[in-house]
């Protein structure tokens, strides 16, 4: 079906939304990814009809046949973006067009139908508008999870002929549970996240499933996150389990691993590169080895490192552990450049600072 296809959303009233008092209690400390709103968006796809039967309806379990293709062949993709409450009582999204485009690229890689950008945006706007009371005040936000999976009932290795696109929402606070000034990371030398020609640049569930054992290993060694090396030489830093990574050097410059099919093209990553260049900071997209990371941290050439992503925003990395030992970065906490870039990013995201690049999408 054409990428310009439009749909008309039906609205299904919620018979019993959560009472305001109970919702307010949940929003006091929502954590991350455990408090869900009243509604969801659903849109069906078939080869015969294209995108159809679009609804905003009460959040509920999904009926699924045991032979649904996603359960056997893992055709599934997803996105993550946040809605922020503004000072005037409105709500905004940060660069949702980029999420829509990345969703299309993920779909292409997984042999799935392309959801038009306008439909993706309308679905997100509709859910945020409908569940606006679920957007937390303060530093919280409403995390949106658009996703799509194959739901044709068959057993056989081929692209499905039917899919379900959905958007659900979760009221969230901080992603990391630690109160430490920086997170610790474990360098995985046994497991890799993605290989050339694979699905590393797609946001699909299989990539994250493959990272879980390595993340469990990181937790076992007292670390908050895992760092993956490249699959070919096992020496080049690629990304964390669910975040991109940046390095800050003593000359004030930044570097980040280059995209090339094995690293997810993060929207936060792209935004930080632009903001850094706006400030006159030199940014290199180049390979950086684990050995060089250790050496530069020891000599002081490397002053800071941080992870970034929609969920974690900008999070300083203080300690790096591996089977070869442990080293600290700088003072083991955050650094001036990390905090400067985080403040610039969050200021735009929360409409507290000018938006020179037109990144803010106003929902209402």
């Amino acid at each position: 079906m054409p990428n310009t296809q439009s749909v008309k959303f039906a609205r299904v009233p919620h018979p019993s939304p959560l009472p305001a008092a109970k919702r307010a209690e949940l929003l006091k400390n929502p954590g991350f990814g455990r408090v869900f709103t009243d509604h969801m968006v659903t849109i069906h796809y078939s080869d015969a009809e294209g995108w159809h039967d679009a609804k905003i309806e009460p959040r509920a379990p999904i009926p699924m046949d045991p032979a649904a293709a996603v359960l056997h062949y893992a055709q599934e993709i997803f996105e993550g973006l946040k809605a922020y409450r503004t000072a005037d009582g409105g709500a905004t999204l940060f660069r949702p067009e980029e999420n829509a485009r990345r969703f299309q690229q993920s779909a292409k890689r997984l042999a799935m139908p392309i959801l038009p950008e306008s439909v993706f945006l309308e679905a997100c706007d509709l859910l945020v508008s409908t569940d606006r009371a679920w957007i937390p005040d303060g530093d919280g936000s409403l995390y949106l999870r658009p996703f799509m999976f194959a739901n044709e009932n068959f057993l056989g290795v081929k692209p499905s002929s039917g899919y379900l696109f959905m958007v659900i929402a979760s009221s969230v606070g901080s992603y990391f549970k630690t109160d430490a000034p920086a997170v610790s990371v474990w360098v995985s030398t046994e497991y890799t996240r993605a290989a050339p020609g694979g699905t590393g640049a797609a946001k699909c569930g299989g990539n994250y499933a493959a990272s879980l054992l390595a993340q469990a290993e990181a937790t076992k060694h007292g670390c908050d996150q895992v760092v993956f090396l490249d699959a070919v030489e096992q020496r080049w830093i690629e990304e964390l389990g669910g975040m991109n990574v940046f390095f800050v050097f003593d000359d004030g410059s930044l570097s980040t691993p280059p995209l090339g099919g094995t690293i997810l093209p993060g929207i936060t990553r792209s935004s930080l590169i632009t903001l850094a260049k706006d400030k006159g900071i030199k940014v290199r997209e180049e390979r950086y080895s684990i050995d060089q990371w250790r050496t530069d941290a020891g000599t002081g050439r490397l002053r800071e490192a941080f992870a970034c992503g929609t969920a974690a925003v900008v999070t300083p990395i203080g300690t790096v552990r591996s089977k070869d030992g442990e080293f600290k970065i700088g003072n083991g906490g955050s650094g001036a450049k990390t905090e400067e870039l985080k403040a610039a990013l969050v200021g735009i995201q929360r409409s507290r600072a000018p938006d020179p690049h037109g990144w803010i999408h106003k929902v209402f």
Side-chain angles (χ1 to χ4, degrees), residues 53-338:
D53 195 19
K55 295 178 184 176
I56 175 80
E57 58 187 323
R59 184 176 180 274
I62 309 168
M64 185 177 291
D65 191 279
V70 66
L71 300 177
H72 304 274
Y73 309 110
Q75 265 191 298
E76 182 272 347
I77 59 173
F78 67 96
E79 271 299 325
L81 63 161
K82 289 177 176 177
Y84 304 92
R85 188 178 297 283
T86 58
D88 62 1
T92 61
L93 297 171
F94 181 73
R95 306 189 74 181
E97 300 87 357
E98 294 301 315
N99 293 94
R101 292 164 192 161
R102 188 171 64 183
F103 195 75
Q104 292 178 336
Q105 291 303 309
S106 296
K108 182 178 179 181
R109 180 61 183 85
L110 272 291
M112 302 171 81
I114 302 300
L115 182 75
E117 182 180 321
S118 60
V119 177
F120 182 101
L121 296 176
E122 186 177 2
C124 292
D125 284 356
L126 186 56
L127 186 56
V128 173
S129 296
T130 302
D131 283 340
R132 63 182 66 194
W134 287 88
I135 306 174
D137 293 321
D139 293 332
S141 57
L142 187 65
Y143 184 83
L144 304 183
R145 172 49 58 87
F147 62 104
M148 177 168 61
F149 63 90
N151 65 352
E152 181 185 356
N153 303 327
F154 76 96
L155 298 179
V157 183
K158 70 173 186 68
S160 174
S161 64
Y163 298 86
L164 181 61
F165 169 79
M166 302 184 66
V167 190
I168 57 175
S170 175
S171 306
V172 300
S174 176
Y175 181 76
F176 286 107
K177 300 178 178 66
T178 179
D179 293 326
V183 296
S184 57
V185 297
W186 172 259
V187 181
S188 178
T189 55
E190 185 173 353
Y191 307 105
T192 56
R193 176 186 172 274
T199 59
K203 200 165 178 66
C204 60
N207 291 344
Y208 295 83
S211 75
L212 295 179
L213 191 57
Q215 179 59 46
E217 184 181 52
T219 302
K220 180 181 177 181
H221 287 88
C223 294
D224 302 295
Q225 263 286 327
V226 62
V227 177
F228 288 105
L229 305 177
D230 73 290
V232 178
E233 298 183 62
Q234 278 282 282
R235 61 182 292 223
W236 304 106
I237 304 298
E238 293 228 312
E239 67 174 90
L240 277 66
M243 287 157 271
N244 296 121
V245 61
F246 279 81
F247 307 98
V248 183
F249 297 92
D250 57 1
D251 63 357
S253 67
L254 298 179
S255 80
T256 188
L259 304 178
T262 60
I263 294 175
L264 186 73
I267 295 163
T268 305
R269 174 189 181 277
S270 171
S271 303
L272 289 168
I273 290 173
T274 298
L275 291 174
K277 291 180 177 179
D278 286 349
K279 294 176 176 292
I281 300 170
K282 184 177 180 180
V283 184
R284 300 180 301 278
E285 296 183 65
E286 63 182 13
R287 297 200 297 178
Y288 191 57
S289 72
I290 178 59
D291 291 337
Q292 195 65 50
W293 193 1
R294 184 182 295 107
T295 298
D296 288 347
T299 63
R301 176 175 179 258
L302 180 74
R303 296 296 177 84
E304 306 169 36
F306 60 85
C308 66
T310 297
V313 193
V314 174
T315 300
I317 299 171
T319 305
V320 181
R321 296 185 185 126
S322 71
K323 65 179 184 180
D324 297 321
E326 173 181 314
F327 60 90
K328 288 191 180 298
I329 300 168
N331 61 7
S334 189
K337 199 72 70 178
T338 300

Side-chain angles (χ1 to χ4, degrees), residues 15-26:
S16 55
L18 194 72
K22 290 186 177 181
R23 182 179 62 243
E25 189 63 30
L26 289 173

